[in-house]
Amino acid sequence: MSTPLTGLSRFCFAALFALAVPLGGCAAAPAEARVSVYTSAGTRQCEPADTDPMPAALARLAAAGVEASAPRCGHDGRIRAAMCGMSDGRILVVDVPAAALVKAKELGWRPLADLPDATVDRCV
């Protein structure tokens, strides 16, 4: 059987609740803003890729102090003539901290938002 709260008990309960609710939002640090960026995979039509280009691309970013996450592959969405030796449109995509966007651009990466027709999927 529950007992009704007295006036002082209600006040204490309300005060504790009012303090606990706002502090609960402080428990998790805000997520750092990230930006999806892309670079050419460097692959060509009619030429099989010798190696997976993603590890080397991630290593270049890491060497420059850019923390990349969520690596994935895609296509730039552009139409191109079918001609052996020309780019096949494959791209590499990663997420970087928004604060590192300038550094990523210096390394040849561009915001994925610049390619409105791009398709992105997991690498196979």
Side-chain angles (χ1 to χ4, degrees):
M1 178 187 244
S2 64
T3 59
L5 294 175
T6 65
L8 183 57
S9 296
R10 283 187 203 144
F11 175 78
C12 291
F13 178 78
L16 286 174
F17 184 77
L19 288 173
V21 171
L23 293 178
C26 297
E32 182 179 20
R34 300 188 73 78
V35 177
S36 293
V37 294
Y38 78 94
T39 192
S40 171
T43 51
R44 305 272 173 218
Q45 296 179 43
C46 307
E47 297 176 11
D50 293 333
T51 60
D52 179 7
M54 185 64 81
L58 292 172
R60 284 191 304 276
L61 286 169
V66 178
E67 176 198 334
S69 63
R72 47 211 190 274
C73 298
H75 189 274
D76 62 15
R78 295 181 178 153
I79 298 172
R80 56 185 37 81
M83 182 180 291
C84 290
M86 302 246 339
S87 171
D88 61 6
R90 285 187 52 215
I91 58 173
L92 307 176
V93 180
V94 297
D95 294 343
V96 299
L101 181 58
V102 171
K103 187 65 162 173
K105 282 182 173 182
E106 291 172 0
L107 297 170
W109 294 77
R110 297 289 173 250
L112 186 58
D114 291 352
L115 291 179
D117 297 326
T119 57
V120 179
D121 203 357
R122 63 182 177 85
C123 298
V124 288

